Amino acid sequence: MKDFLKDLEDESFVIFYGSQLGQAKSIAEGLVDVAEEYDFKTKAFELNAIKDVNDLTKLTCPIVIVTSSTGDGEPPENADKFWRKIRKKNLSATTLQSLKYTLLGLGDTNYNNFCNCGKVINRRLQDLSASTFHPPAWADDATGLELVVDEWIENLWPALETLIRPDSNQSITTMSKTTLTVPSCPAVSLKLEWTEDGGGDATCASKVDLRNPLTPYPLIDGDPVPVKLTKARILSRFGALKTALELTVGFTEESFKFEPGDAINIICPNPVNEVNRLLERLQLLTKAGRTLQLSVKQGAKGKIPVFLPATVTLRDAFLYYFDIRSCPKKTFIRLLAEHTSEENEKSKLLELCSRQGSSAFEETIRFASLSLLDLLLTFQSCMPPLEALLEHLPRLVPRAYSISSSPLSSDKEFTFAFNVVTFSKENGRQYERLGVCTGWLSQRSRVLLNKNSKELGLENASSDLEAAMSALTIDGEESDSVSNEEIIVYRRKNQNFRLPEDIKAPIIMLGPGTGIAPFIGFIQHRDNLKKKGDSIGEMCLYFGCRYKAKDFLYEDELKALEGGALTKFYPVFSRDDPQTTVKYVQHRMEENKKAVIDTLFNQGGYLYVCGDAKNMAKDVRDVLIKCVQSVKEVTEGEAKTLVAELSTQKRYLQDIWS
């Protein structure tokens, strides 16, 4: 880890960032690029580059901190050491009285501890007598980070000017409301050379080693493990809105240690047909099999993506290393605008990436989950150079799935469940597609589904299997070039989403849809313990889906476990009875509020929530606060404090996704 003090010269200010998935780092690096335009000199470092809190007192310039939070409000991996250092109680209250700072926190209000890392650091800096020169801000990914980030950055520059050059006759002013305020265009610093002609054959096999990435993936725990898909089954039924599948995997080379509540990260490629279509749109399909090498132009400040091999074919670069599906950021749209020749199209792209166009960006780009290919098909005169894409596209990272079994049932295999995500051709999306990983897994599931059906004598069955197979198919889709059933997985770092160490502790679980997956493992685990003669705590499960007859996942297993390890089971079906007001898991929980509050506050119980972050998890929290307020007869503020204490005590735990 670089020591920031050894790398400083005469910086106007210094930037520190804590970044798990790259957003905070990208903002920090963007500030470095733009600083030159205002005649400021700066450098960006990871927060962990601060070896000692007292080192900040050696700075004669202000600092800017940009940090995200991960898990349940924890610091990113490149900020965790600083997080621990600054929270030490033996620091003097005047330790940082000479420090001037500002801070931008990135978070998501769908999670319990919004921007917790940034807020803790900010409070601690204040406790140590540091002072702000520009108000800290908290950006919410649930509504769009840009809504806060853009304005905070725009006002950062005049604040720095006032602090650093108070006697300057020049002043930095913001743009007028009639002028578009757009981000600076990212520089293109890379030079590309073709070193080999492998042809443009779309079916050429990849030689990529997925088990040995050049740089670690985020939130990874341990080494990659090859596992083999052995079984697939359809959890949903005919007519379900979503096709839910369960895959069973066995270990091929080594044991995979896991506990109920753990999740795996699956390494998957982008869809072959989508990569080919992107290359065709960029007029590069004939070069798909050629090997490329990247270097940094002389005098340029950019760098080659650290995750990209020194030599790689163009197709493999887009298949395995770059995320071509993720929603483009505003700075990336600014880059596309720079390489758009038709004026009307360029103006539209500039508006979308401007501060004034934030609402249009949210509605047109973000909420519709548009991809790079969507934009290129929409704006036909846009022709970005390949070097620019290779420098600024984000990394393709593994996708996470909760394990839905217990090692006490089998330590040689585990199961996981997922919905096959589908995106229709609408709302600006120019082509139909499946989710990157769920689509890739569904390709493999088709082979296993057919095989399993034949083994069970169900190959002529018409309803569920045919409906599922149809849902897993996209017109014009090409088969993946990897034909075997082996996949590469990592264990995902667990943020305490595990059963209590005390097996007698009562637990409450809320898991609608595929959110039930980890709880199947929880119940299996305690059921095995009970069969061995151990005394276990009560287990209460709230499960929700649309229709009992269509998407009641794990129905047979749950009925078999009910009355055993599963003490109480409360299913709820949101569409079966249009008249009912009890539609979702939080409504059923509210019906049982006295028992819920007694379990959590009188019996030392645990509450687990798994599923959608945007609606369900937030609604569960709101209803829980109402339950506490009602049963304990306290104010709303007091109820929120009590619920927050549950989170702090790690007795209110979430495994949720946006």
Side-chain angles (χ1 to χ4, degrees):
M1 179 62 61
K2 185 182 292 186
D3 184 338
F4 78 95
L5 287 174
K6 295 179 180 179
D7 203 33
L8 293 182
E9 296 173 357
D10 55 345
E11 272 65 32
S12 310
F13 65 98
V14 182
I15 303 169
F16 296 100
Y17 63 86
S19 186
Q20 189 65 61
L21 298 177
Q23 293 192 101
K25 180 180 180 182
S26 177
I27 291 172
E29 291 176 341
L31 292 176
V32 173
D33 293 338
V34 177
E36 287 188 8
E37 299 179 15
Y38 297 103
D39 198 25
F40 291 127
K41 185 176 180 181
T42 186
K43 288 180 180 177
F45 304 89
E46 296 178 354
L47 275 165
N48 282 349
I50 303 172
K51 303 298 184 182
D52 188 312
V53 174
N54 287 292
D55 286 346
L56 293 174
T57 64
K58 300 173 184 177
L59 289 173
T60 57
C61 62
I63 68 169
V64 174
I65 298 174
V66 183
T67 185
S68 62
S69 299
T70 187
D72 197 16
E74 302 296 320
E77 291 174 325
N78 57 14
D80 57 352
K81 294 177 182 176
F82 173 73
W83 162 278
R84 290 194 293 271
K85 288 185 177 75
I86 200 169
R87 298 175 81 188
K88 288 183 177 179
K89 295 180 179 180
N90 61 352
L91 292 171
S92 167
T94 58
T95 297
L96 299 178
Q97 61 183 348
S98 63
L99 183 69
K100 304 286 187 183
Y101 79 97
T102 186
L103 188 148
L104 174 64
L106 311 182
D108 188 328
T109 49
N110 292 311
Y111 293 77
N112 282 344
N113 295 308
F114 172 64
C115 285
N116 187 60
C117 177
K119 289 181 177 179
V120 168
I121 291 174
N122 182 56
R123 282 197 302 270
R124 193 64 179 130
L125 289 173
Q126 295 281 320
D127 292 343
L128 300 176
S129 299
S131 58
T132 58
F133 68 88
H134 179 47
W138 317 108
D140 183 7
D141 198 37
T143 57
L145 296 174
E146 292 85 359
L147 297 178
V148 170
V149 172
D150 289 355
E151 182 176 3
W152 183 84
I153 291 176
E154 183 180 344
N155 293 323
L156 171 65
W157 305 116
L160 283 166
E161 177 75 13
T162 300
L163 178 66
I164 297 171
R165 297 188 284 252
D167 299 325
S168 173
N169 293 325
Q170 296 182 336
S171 63
I172 297 175
T173 57
T174 57
M175 303 288 283
S176 70
K177 292 184 178 180
T178 58
T179 304
L180 289 180
T181 307
V182 299
S184 298
C185 184
V188 180
S189 307
L190 300 185
K191 178 182 177 183
L192 183 149
E193 294 179 287
W194 301 100
T195 62
E196 178 186 329
D197 189 351
D201 180 12
T203 61
C204 63
S206 171
K207 299 178 182 178
V208 173
D209 183 5
L210 297 177
R211 296 187 61 181
N212 295 289
L214 293 178
T215 54
Y217 291 113
L219 295 173
I220 291 300
D221 183 14
D223 295 325
V225 177
V227 298
K228 188 168 185 178
L229 303 178
T230 58
K231 291 185 222 173
R233 67 167 172 149
I234 306 162
L235 297 175
S236 52
R237 299 184 180 91
F238 179 74
L241 181 66
K242 299 176 181 178
T243 300
L245 298 175
E246 181 192 69
L247 287 176
T248 303
V249 298
F251 313 128
T252 58
E253 290 183 11
E254 54 193 278
S255 62
F256 183 87
K257 304 296 184 184
F258 69 96
E259 296 180 36
D262 280 347
I264 53 168
N265 277 335
I266 297 179
I267 301 175
C268 64
N270 287 306
V272 173
N273 62 311
E274 193 168 341
V275 169
N276 287 335
R277 192 170 179 185
L278 175 61
L279 293 176
E280 183 177 30
R281 168 61 180 82
L282 294 169
Q283 300 177 11
L284 292 168
L285 191 57
T286 57
K287 294 184 177 181
R290 295 185 65 181
T291 302
L292 58 86
Q293 279 190 329
L294 295 173
S295 58
V296 179
K297 296 176 183 175
Q298 187 173 4
K301 293 185 176 181
K303 56 186 176 182
I304 301 169
V306 293
F307 53 82
L308 192 66
T311 57
V312 62
T313 67
L314 175 57
R315 177 178 286 104
D316 283 349
F318 280 129
L319 267 177
Y320 297 102
Y321 296 103
F322 292 102
D323 190 345
I324 62 172
R325 182 72 71 79
S326 64
C327 183
K329 306 293 183 188
K330 281 190 173 184
T331 52
F332 193 84
I333 293 177
R334 176 67 183 88
L335 177 69
L336 296 181
E338 191 71 13
H339 300 283
T340 300
S341 57
E342 205 278 317
E343 283 302 317
N344 287 335
E345 291 186 346
K346 183 171 185 175
S347 296
K348 180 62 176 177
L349 287 170
L350 288 173
E351 179 186 352
L352 286 170
C353 71
S354 70
R355 180 181 168 194
Q356 291 82 354
S358 291
S359 296
F361 173 83
E362 292 297 310
E363 295 172 9
T364 306
I365 307 294
R366 190 168 179 269
F367 291 143
S369 296
L370 299 194
S371 68
L372 168 62
L373 182 54
D374 285 322
L375 292 178
L376 292 177
L377 292 174
T378 301
F379 299 94
Q380 288 290 327
S381 70
C382 180
M383 189 59 69
L386 178 58
E387 297 92 323
L389 299 182
L390 297 179
E391 184 171 0
H392 295 291
L393 275 171
R395 184 183 192 181
L396 180 62
V397 297
R399 270 48 173 179
Y401 298 92
S402 298
I403 292 175
S404 58
S405 58
S406 163
L408 295 182
S409 297
S410 174
D411 62 355
K412 301 299 182 185
E413 64 179 19
F414 62 81
T415 60
F416 65 97
F418 59 93
N419 286 322
V420 180
V421 182
T422 59
F423 298 90
S424 57
K425 184 180 177 180
E426 60 180 346
N427 298 325
R429 294 189 291 269
Q430 299 296 307
Y431 57 100
E432 184 184 18
R433 63 253 197 182
L434 300 175
V436 172
C437 193
T438 62
W440 182 71
L441 290 171
S442 72
Q443 287 185 340
R444 284 151 169 70
S445 300
R446 275 177 262 183
V447 177
L448 290 169
L449 284 168
N450 279 324
K451 178 182 177 182
N452 298 159
S453 297
K454 289 177 182 178
E455 290 174 352
L456 296 172
L458 300 175
E459 61 267 29
N460 295 320
S462 59
S463 57
D464 291 3
L465 180 60
E466 289 185 7
M469 300 296 271
S470 175
L472 303 183
T473 304
I474 292 292
D475 290 340
E477 182 181 53
E478 296 181 36
S479 296
D480 194 288
S481 59
V482 180
S483 60
N484 61 45
E485 297 168 354
E486 185 178 274
I487 62 174
I488 306 298
V489 304
Y490 288 82
R491 184 186 296 104
R492 184 176 177 86
K493 284 195 174 178
N494 192 299
Q495 304 289 343
N496 303 298
F497 198 83
R498 284 181 174 155
L499 284 165
E501 291 185 12
D502 179 4
I503 64 173
K504 294 182 181 180
I507 66 173
I508 300 170
M509 303 165 283
L510 289 90
T514 54
I516 196 174
F519 302 137
I520 297 297
F522 278 15
I523 301 166
Q524 275 185 13
H525 199 73
R526 280 197 171 178
D527 191 60
N528 278 287
L529 293 173
K530 185 175 183 179
K531 288 175 180 177
K532 287 168 51 181
D534 291 333
S535 177
I536 62 171
E538 286 195 349
M539 305 187 79
C540 177
L541 173 65
Y542 293 86
F543 168 75
C545 63
R546 295 168 66 88
Y547 297 100
K548 181 178 181 180
K550 296 179 182 180
D551 37 25
F552 191 166
L553 310 185
Y554 292 105
E555 180 179 7
D556 293 339
E557 287 91 335
L558 290 168
K559 286 180 177 177
L561 291 164
E562 193 175 3
L566 181 56
T567 318
K568 297 172 184 176
F569 181 35
Y570 300 101
V572 59
F573 310 102
S574 62
R575 302 295 190 273
D576 277 343
D577 182 3
Q579 304 302 317
T580 184
T581 56
V582 181
K583 291 182 176 293
Y584 306 114
V585 288
Q586 63 268 22
H587 299 149
R588 188 70 79 198
M589 181 181 73
E590 190 171 15
E591 279 189 332
N592 301 324
K593 59 186 178 183
K594 288 185 179 179
V596 169
I597 300 308
D598 180 61
T599 297
L600 296 177
F601 292 94
N602 299 329
Q603 300 180 39
Y606 291 70
L607 177 66
Y608 297 87
V609 181
C610 183
D612 167 46
K614 286 187 177 178
N615 300 304
M616 183 276 301
K618 192 172 183 179
D619 291 342
V620 166
R621 182 178 177 81
D622 291 342
V623 169
L624 178 62
I625 291 169
K626 284 175 58 180
C627 292
V628 173
Q629 186 178 358
S630 172
V631 175
K632 296 183 79 67
E633 298 181 348
V634 295
T635 66
E636 182 181 1
E638 290 170 329
K640 288 180 177 179
T641 299
L642 289 170
V643 170
E645 288 175 358
L646 286 178
S647 296
T648 302
Q649 296 165 7
K650 305 299 182 186
R651 292 196 296 117
Y652 178 9
L653 298 161
Q654 298 184 109
D655 182 6
I656 56 179
W657 56 85
S658 300

